[in-house]
Structure formats: C-alpha cells, structure tokens
Amino acid sequence: MTTPLSSIAWVMVASFIGSLGAVGLKAGAHNLKLSIPALATNWRLQAGVAGYLISWVFFVVGLKKGDLSVLYPMVSLSYIFTLFWSKLFFGEPLTRAKFVALALILVGVALLGLGTR
Amino acid sequence: MNPTTSQPVSAAAPTASALRVSTPAQKRKALWMVVAFTLLASIAQVLIKTGANTLNQIPFGTFTNVVMGSMHFQISAIVIAGLTSVPLIGGLVLYGIGAVMMVLALQHGELSVLYPVISLSYVWVAILSVVIFHEHMNVFRLAGISVIILGVAVLGRSGSR
C-alpha cells in the first residue's frame, strides 16, 4: 500500500500539535490543585488537553489512507519536538543520554514499522 | 542532571513552584506512572480499534428512529452504535484514567525524560498484536522491541537521579 503525502502531512501536524499539548500538560501539572475551581481555571492544563484532542483528530484523518507501518512510527517525531520544547519552555538540560535514548527509540520504532509490513 | 544548575527563567515558566526540585524517589515514581500509562493506553487502543471495526460495518446514511413521548427523532445508526459500544466507551475511559496518571506523573520529573517513555506503548501494542491478534513475531519486531526498551532504560537511568 502506498502512503499519500497528504496522510504524512496530517500525521506530522498531529505530532507537532501533540508535542505542544505535552507542554501544556507539563505547565498545567506544575501548579496542579485537585479541586474543581482550580482545574476549571488551569488554562495551561486545558490547553494541553485540547492540544491532545486536536492532534488526535489530525492523526485519525491521516490514518484513513496509507500504510499504518509508515504512519504510526511517524508519531514518534513528537518526541524530538518535545525535547526542544522542554529546553525552550522549562529550561531542562539537553544531555547526551537523552539524545542517545531518543536515537535508540526512533530506530526501535522504525524497526517495528518494518516488522509490521 | 545537576539540579542546582541555574537555568534562564523562560517566559513560559508558570510560577516559582515550577522550579521546585523533585526527589529521586518522586522522579522514579513518575517514571513508573508513565510506564503504567503506556500499558493502559495500549489496552485502550486495542479496545477502541475493536469498537471502531464494528462501527465501520454500519453504512453511512443509516438512521434509527427514536421515539421519546410524542417526539420522533432520526439518529444516525453509527452514533447510536458508538454511544453504546462497550469496547469503545471502555477504551475511552481507560484513556481518561491514563491521562490523569500522566498529568500526575508530570508533576515530578522532566518532560524531556518522561515524554519519550511513551514510546513503550509501541512495545505493548506489538506484544498485544502477537498475543491477542496472533500476528507473527519476526526479527524486526523483536529487534524493535529490544531497542525501544534499551532507549527507555537509558532515559530511566538519567531521569531517576
């Protein structure tokens, strides 16, 4: 099965929005208070959840056509985006261990994609 | 790595509490919560896939008549099937529980460590496909599973200090 470019684009946009969703969740989790008024005003958390839902819609649209074994591994692109957001928004250090781990994970996901064909 | 390293305070850093330091025990707990989240999310995914397959068999434009007192409605059969599908609703509920766990985990530990741990869901899905859907285990799958676990282990090591 060939994978149309449009599907690849949808999934890439989904990964990008999903990684921004993760930023929202993390920012919202920092000042998390488990009460209804606090959760109702925690706009960072809400933005994070919204980001996830929106990315999910993009992902589902992208998956309608094309090869799952190509598209599904592409979601792991969001890990790369998230690494840079973590540095930019939260000042987390980018260590060698994180890059090594990310490279291993991307290779592993690609291998799984090959094995699913 | 070094919690005392001074980082530039970015514009998006919400409050001073964002810069609080979590203990290694809290970071380890956060890592395991993400691992649990990936297992829940993968089971949810299988349930949602099962539910969606049933919905896909209903042709578009099929309507069901609903009578409530003197009111008559025509509701899409797909919508009704979706709202009453046990695997679909169960999968979404599991996803919800997983999402709460994920947020609680993010309270402690770095996003750049915890987020890529989600890749374990690929491992669970591969295992579930072989165990539940009897797909074949092959060299690529086995290698993929091993390499992802190795990567997550590297993250775990750097993230629990």
Side-chain angles (χ1 to χ4, degrees), chain A residues 53-76:
Chain A
L53 293 178
I54 294 168
S55 86
W56 201 66
V57 171
F58 275 69
F59 189 52
V60 168
V61 172
L63 288 189
K64 281 199 163 184
K65 288 174 190 165
D67 194 340
L68 262 186
S69 67
V70 174
L71 294 174
Y72 194 42
M74 285 186 58
V75 181
S76 56

Side-chain angles (χ1 to χ4, degrees), chain A residues 22 26 29-30 52 72 75-76 79 82-83 86 88-89 91-93 95 97-98 101 104-105 108-109 111-112 115-116, chain B residues 1 7 10 12 14 18 20 45 103 106-107 109-113 115-116 118-119 122 138 140-141 144 147-148 151 154-155:
Chain A
K26 171 73 176 161
H30 276 312
Y52 261 116
Y72 194 42
V75 181
S76 56
Y79 307 143
T82 307
L83 199 63
S86 305
L88 185 68
F89 289 107
E92 295 179 7
T95 61
K98 286 177 190 169
L104 285 170
I105 287 169
V109 170
L111 284 169
L112 268 187
T116 314
Chain B
M1 298 297 244
Q7 294 291 342
S10 63
R20 74 178 161 210
Q45 202 181 322
V103 172
L106 282 173
Q107 280 188 292
E110 299 172 12
L111 182 64
S112 54
V113 169
Y115 196 74
I118 296 175
S119 62
Y122 288 106
N138 55 41
F140 284 118
R141 276 194 162 157
V147 176
I148 291 175
V154 172
L155 275 178

Side-chain angles (χ1 to χ4, degrees), chain A:
Chain A
M1 191 202 252
T2 53
T3 304
L5 273 179
S6 60
S7 287
I8 292 177
W10 281 102
V11 171
M12 284 185 87
V13 173
S15 304
F16 187 76
I17 298 174
S19 71
L20 287 174
V23 172
L25 290 187
K26 171 73 176 161
H30 276 312
N31 33 13
L32 189 70
K33 289 185 193 69
L34 291 178
S35 73
I36 291 173
L39 288 176
T41 53
N42 192 337
W43 64 269
R44 295 182 180 90
L45 195 69
Q46 291 162 9
V49 173
Y52 261 116
L53 293 178
I54 294 168
S55 86
W56 201 66
V57 171
F58 275 69
F59 189 52
V60 168
V61 172
L63 288 189
K64 281 199 163 184
K65 288 174 190 165
D67 194 340
L68 262 186
S69 67
V70 174
L71 294 174
Y72 194 42
M74 285 186 58
V75 181
S76 56
L77 284 176
S78 60
Y79 307 143
I80 303 177
F81 297 134
T82 307
L83 199 63
F84 288 102
W85 299 144
S86 305
K87 170 81 181 163
L88 185 68
F89 289 107
F90 306 113
E92 295 179 7
L94 299 180
T95 61
R96 192 195 291 164
K98 286 177 190 169
F99 283 110
V100 170
L102 205 61
L104 285 170
I105 287 169
L106 293 178
V107 169
V109 170
L111 284 169
L112 268 187
L114 287 175
T116 314
R117 255 165 219 276

